Amino acid sequence: MIETKYGKIEGLDRGEYIEYRGVPFAKPPVGELRWKAPQPPEPFDGVYQAVEFPAKSMQEIGHNGPPYDKDFYDDPAYERPVSEDCLYLNIWVPKNASNCPVAMWIHGGAFMGGGASEKEFDGAAYCKRGVIFVSVQYRLGVLGFLAHPWLTAEAGTSGNYGILDQIAALNWITENISAFGGDSENITIFGQSAGAMSVQTLISSPLTGNKIKRAILQSGGSYGAGLHRDTPLAEQESYGEIFAEVLGVNSLEEMRAKSSEEIMDAVGPFMGKVFPMAKGLFLVPVIDGKVLTGGYYELMDKGEIKDIPYMVGSTKDDILVTPEMKEPEDSPLYSGSKAFSHKLEELGRKPAYVYYFTRDLPGNDFGAWHSAELWYMMGTMKRCWRPFEQGDYDLSEKMLDYWANFMKTGEPGGGWQPCSKEDSFVMEFDV
């Protein structure tokens, strides 16, 4: 039984750790709260039973091709329904926790899909290493990142609802985690793909203050080359106007009155219209003057990202890697990770710890694909269909130790050196 700011909650006793599933960190963003900044949750009546994983954010289901379909989405036991009522987090706490470091995990999925309780995610291995693990959900797609002049007129800005959700989760953790035995002043945020892009947004935002102690960016953090795009608010608003046309509405009231199903039915035609114009992923964080005051690399040039320890890396066959790319430096995320570290050094800060995951996963010929390292640094390989060898399990233990050490001290240890300009050390992970 834990007494939070919002009342008592009870979780699942797993022996070595306790698991709290589906804890609300904001009011459901439905009805009048759709396309608004998240609001604090209502206090609990009685004892809140945190025993079921929450519904995933609204998203299209069944659009995960190989290798993701077989690796992450093949077991119905881990699948959750979708709902606009999605702002929940899950907490894994070591037994008798006291002043433990805290790790806040942000899932990937191109800001369009995914959830906080996928098959490959788990906090048990971190609990064994004395770390409290928290996975968080946030609004996705048009519900998380749509901007429109109507919304801007109402609130002074629009878009970035999914990032505001992440900030609300960070605030909830800061306010409540000490009740679980966590150190509210030692929070590491980490994420992969869109989760890493989210981390780079949070370390670049004035709204997160000094609540982030360290950050890990997996296949999404970069400087000069990578997945980020600087989207001005006006550009995102113009796409929002197209969405309103596709949805067939003439006012914000009409847009909020549409059902979740009607909203999602409009997404496909909307994407079909805008994707060719935007030339790629466009429902992403926007430069709104509040969450983001400038472009990602511009903010780094100005030294306006958090002055904290960083770990950043990518995989051998990561996103944006083509068969013609023969050298690691050819990969935008590999070179962008090193450039991120070198930029920190230029700013007079400690360079980052950079890694490169090169293990070709056994079982097929997809190689070290985008997201392949998740099985290893989550310690969940026994859930996977692949014929892992002892060397894979050993690699997983090593990576978990590095990640947990970094969360505790800001240094992974074990001979892993920062990636400086003089010595561009990159830790390679293979069996």
Side-chain angles (χ1 to χ4, degrees):
M1 188 86 69
I2 298 291
E3 180 81 48
T4 73
K5 179 180 175 182
Y6 300 97
K8 294 183 175 68
I9 72 170
E10 195 168 33
L12 299 165
D13 191 332
R14 302 300 197 190
E16 293 183 357
Y17 63 94
I18 302 172
E19 190 176 343
Y20 301 88
R21 297 179 169 186
V23 180
F25 64 83
K27 286 180 182 174
V30 300
E32 286 301 307
L33 294 184
R34 181 191 280 169
W35 294 305
K36 284 187 179 177
Q39 302 299 305
E42 295 287 353
F44 309 135
D45 289 326
V47 179
Y48 185 87
Q49 295 296 315
V51 296
E52 293 288 342
F53 285 127
K56 297 190 291 188
S57 303
M58 292 301 297
Q59 58 194 270
E60 293 188 87
I61 300 298
H63 289 260
N64 302 295
Y68 306 100
D69 52 353
K70 191 175 176 182
D71 268 69
F72 299 156
Y73 304 109
D74 65 326
D75 189 344
Y78 290 93
E79 281 304 297
R80 305 300 300 153
V82 297
S83 173
E84 286 192 71
D85 181 2
C86 61
L87 299 184
Y88 298 84
L89 48 78
N90 311 302
I91 313 168
W92 286 259
V93 183
K95 271 288 179 67
N96 304 313
S98 178
N99 212 39
C100 290
V102 181
M104 172 177 142
W105 173 252
I106 305 172
H107 71 80
F111 297 108
M112 295 289 289
S117 56
E118 291 181 8
K119 178 182 176 183
E120 72 277 20
F121 302 154
D122 200 285
Y126 287 94
C127 287
K128 290 178 184 176
R129 290 164 172 80
V131 175
I132 291 176
F133 180 98
V134 186
S135 65
V136 305
Q137 292 196 157
Y138 52 100
R139 283 170 282 181
L140 301 168
V142 294
L143 293 165
F145 295 93
L146 187 81
H148 193 287
W150 297 335
L151 292 163
T152 301
E154 176 185 67
T157 186
S158 60
N160 286 337
Y161 304 107
I163 299 299
L164 291 169
D165 295 339
Q166 295 170 13
I167 295 171
L170 177 64
N171 292 341
W172 190 97
I173 294 167
T174 302
E175 293 173 351
N176 293 282
I177 207 65
S178 60
F180 295 82
D183 182 354
S184 62
E185 296 183 357
N186 188 1
I187 299 173
T188 297
I189 61 171
F190 69 141
Q192 184 265 345
S193 193
M197 297 166 73
S198 296
V199 169
Q200 190 149 350
T201 305
L202 297 178
I203 62 169
S204 304
S205 176
L207 300 186
T208 52
N210 62 354
K211 294 173 182 172
I212 302 167
K213 184 80 169 180
R214 330 180 209 284
I216 303 172
L217 304 93
Q218 301 177 207
S219 296
S222 66
Y223 174 79
L227 304 181
H228 290 98
R229 62 185 301 168
D230 295 339
T231 305
L233 177 59
E235 179 185 336
Q236 196 76 312
E237 286 178 329
S238 70
Y239 301 149
E241 289 180 306
I242 295 172
F243 181 73
E245 291 173 13
V246 171
L247 195 57
V249 296
N250 296 300
S251 69
L252 181 52
E253 291 73 25
E254 289 181 25
M255 199 156 73
R256 284 206 175 106
K258 291 290 185 180
S259 68
S260 302
E261 292 73 22
E262 288 172 311
I263 295 289
M264 294 308 296
D265 285 345
V267 168
F270 167 59
M271 296 292 286
K273 282 179 176 286
V274 177
F275 203 82
M277 297 166 51
K279 295 181 173 59
L281 202 62
F282 65 91
L283 288 169
V284 295
V286 300
I287 302 170
D288 62 351
K290 293 185 178 182
V291 171
L292 282 175
T293 59
Y296 287 97
Y297 306 147
E298 171 195 354
L299 292 172
M300 286 196 74
D301 287 338
K302 293 179 178 178
E304 292 184 15
I305 67 164
K306 311 295 182 203
D307 186 3
I308 57 175
Y310 291 100
M311 182 193 296
V312 58
S314 61
T315 67
K316 174 172 63 69
D317 302 298
D318 219 320
I319 199 164
L320 303 181
V321 173
T322 65
E324 296 74 38
M325 297 178 179
K326 304 300 183 187
E327 299 297 327
E329 293 287 351
D330 297 334
S331 164
L333 282 174
Y334 180 92
S335 59
S337 294
K338 290 178 66 175
F340 182 97
S341 184
H342 295 162
K343 172 54 68 170
L344 293 175
E345 195 174 18
E346 279 181 31
L347 295 171
R349 304 177 183 180
K350 186 177 180 180
Y353 294 93
V354 177
Y355 74 85
Y356 189 46
F357 182 88
T358 60
R359 167 58 169 162
D360 291 331
L361 267 61
N364 56 26
D365 59 0
F366 283 98
W369 39 280
H370 180 71
S371 309
E373 87 281 15
L374 294 178
W375 291 121
Y376 293 76
M377 46 67 60
M378 287 286 177
T380 49
M381 298 166 65
K382 289 182 179 177
R383 296 178 182 173
C384 187
W385 66 273
R386 295 177 179 276
F388 288 121
E389 304 162 4
Q390 185 56 47
D392 292 291
Y393 289 97
D394 295 342
L395 177 59
S396 174
E397 290 295 306
K398 182 196 295 187
M399 291 176 68
L400 281 161
D401 286 344
Y402 279 136
W403 263 242
N405 287 342
F406 180 82
M407 291 163 180
K408 292 174 181 176
T409 68
E411 298 178 358
W416 187 347
Q417 300 300 313
C419 180
S420 64
K421 287 188 174 182
E422 185 177 337
D423 177 15
S424 288
F425 185 92
V426 177
M427 178 62 77
E428 183 174 331
F429 290 123
D430 202 347
V431 295

